[in-house]
Amino acid sequence: MAADWAPTFDAVDRAAFLPDLMWPFDTRTHTATAVHRAEDPDAWYAAADRDAPIVTQWDDGAHTGTEPGRVSTSSSSMPSVVYALLQDLAVEDGMTVLDIGTGTGETAAALAHRCGSGNGGGVTTVEVDPAVSRQAGARLRAAGWDATVVVGDGAQGCADQAPYDRVLATVGVREIPGAWLQQTRPGGLIVAPWGTHFTHADAVARLTVHRGTATGRFTRPVEFMKARAQRLALPGHGAYAPTDGADASTTDVTEAEFVTGQYGALPFVLGLRVPRCVQVVAGKEDGARPVWFYGLGDRSWACVVFRDGADTARVWQAGERRLWDEVEGAYRWWTGQGAPGHGRFGLTVTPEGHRVWLDDPAAIVA
């Protein structure tokens, strides 16, 4: 953590913003286990102090009981990730900030501490879920932090409190809403996790707003829950083109080259270069790992199966697109560019749409 944010970290108690029942999330095993403050206070406070995400809501609030639900829909993010975003935001005393995705309210509290609302600054935090917003507002008031808490669609921002010096999103987005640009002062910053539907992983876009456009580089890989309006609903496997008659081939791309982990630059780049496609990496079984690709907007699919010790991998493709051919072409492009990391890519947002570039805004990638 940067030294200038240490006083805020000390002043804002994460535990003050957590519910009695919560589900600490293990990022290694991708599992969550319930812990209740009244039943096991030692485990509860240990989880609150850990640098790990904590699920605080499942299934948009429809979930009941202590077992994990189907989809995590609100959380307390990993503190190290949150404070890295805050560092990117470059907040100064007296600034006005729009916080998208209130969640527990802890990020709004950190911003309120940093902005110093008594010196002309102020924090407006927007949450789409009324119950989540209500609970966060109560915790902010109880802890003595001054923030304007709004229930609404974060994509619309909050025009009543605009313009803002800074806009921060702690939800993953697939497009930067025009309202955020319109509500940001000239020279102001937007910091948001941005990505494609190819995987759940995103990269932090740090954008400077000027004359109705926003442009800047990506700073680091992250993974956040997606904005509800931008979630993906992928059909089941049976909805895709039949396996009978699928084209079969091989590739010399290896598993070690291709399966780089969720925070590697390669999945991010593949999502840029292969639009309207989702990747699903299966677990390894008996020395074989299938990786699936599904088209969005059509019923094309592809599957590559990597096997331990094999010089080549088997490939099957069906439907209107040859998705593996597209993916392999994107992989070859990436390696041909020197396998650039996230920081060499940037994003420009205009009223006409989004452009991703490599090294220079004129070098359009997608």
Side-chain angles (χ1 to χ4, degrees), residues 94-154:
M95 284 187 169
T96 55
V97 182
L98 175 62
D99 172 43
I100 305 296
T102 308
T104 65
E106 182 189 359
T107 302
L111 289 166
H113 178 268
R114 185 58 174 262
C115 291
S117 59
N119 296 318
V123 176
T124 300
T125 182
V126 182
E127 169 62 49
V128 70
D129 189 297
V132 170
S133 179
R134 183 171 58 252
Q135 293 159 4
R139 290 169 186 142
L140 283 161
R141 290 189 296 272
W145 298 111
D146 185 14
T148 300
V149 181
V150 177
V151 178
D153 180 0

Side-chain angles (χ1 to χ4, degrees), residues 13-24:
D13 181 11
R14 187 189 195 192
F17 294 89
L18 294 171
D20 290 340
L21 174 62
M22 60 188 191
W23 293 264

Side-chain angles (χ1 to χ4, degrees), residues 175-270:
E175 60 181 46
I176 303 294
W180 297 0
L181 275 68
Q182 297 162 9
Q183 295 172 22
T184 304
R185 296 184 194 276
L189 294 179
I190 297 173
V191 173
W194 183 94
T196 68
H197 286 302
F198 192 77
T199 69
H200 291 296
D202 301 321
V204 177
R206 187 177 189 269
L207 310 175
T208 301
V209 176
H210 184 63
R211 294 184 178 178
T213 68
T215 191
R217 292 184 181 273
F218 295 101
T219 62
R220 62 181 59 83
V222 291
E223 183 174 341
F224 276 85
M225 295 176 186
K226 304 305 173 279
R228 294 189 183 185
Q230 297 187 24
R231 288 178 188 164
L232 173 66
L234 186 68
H237 180 80
Y240 282 82
T243 57
D244 294 345
D247 293 339
S249 60
T250 61
T251 179
D252 60 1
V253 177
T254 67
E255 180 182 0
E257 292 173 315
F258 192 79
V259 183
T260 58
Q262 68 188 101
Y263 296 117
L266 178 57
F268 179 74
V269 174
L270 295 178

Side-chain angles (χ1 to χ4, degrees), residues 283-338:
K284 183 172 286 190
E285 198 170 318
D286 297 328
R289 183 191 300 279
V291 180
W292 293 85
F293 307 91
Y294 295 99
L296 299 176
D298 66 83
R299 291 297 179 257
S300 301
W301 63 267
C303 181
V304 55
V305 179
F306 299 105
R307 292 189 178 277
D308 292 346
D311 295 331
T312 59
R314 294 294 305 277
V315 176
W316 292 266
Q317 307 181 81
E320 299 173 19
R321 300 169 65 183
R322 289 298 175 260
L323 287 175
W324 173 254
D325 292 350
E326 294 183 36
V327 168
E328 184 171 1
Y331 169 76
R332 303 292 185 193
W333 176 88
W334 179 67
T335 57
Q337 297 294 322

Side-chain angles (χ1 to χ4, degrees), residues 23-86:
W23 293 264
F25 186 78
D26 189 322
T27 56
R28 296 167 300 173
T29 62
H30 291 85
T31 57
T33 305
V35 59
H36 199 290
R37 176 158 35 189
E39 297 174 0
D40 194 345
D42 289 343
W44 191 94
Y45 281 104
D49 289 339
R50 197 171 297 129
D51 187 24
I54 298 172
V55 178
T56 55
Q57 185 198 68
W58 297 93
D59 303 326
D60 295 334
H63 170 266
T64 59
T66 59
E67 291 300 313
R70 188 176 61 87
V71 179
S72 55
T73 50
S74 192
S75 71
S76 171
S77 300
M78 185 181 298
S80 61
V81 173
V82 171
Y83 278 86
L85 287 176
L86 293 173

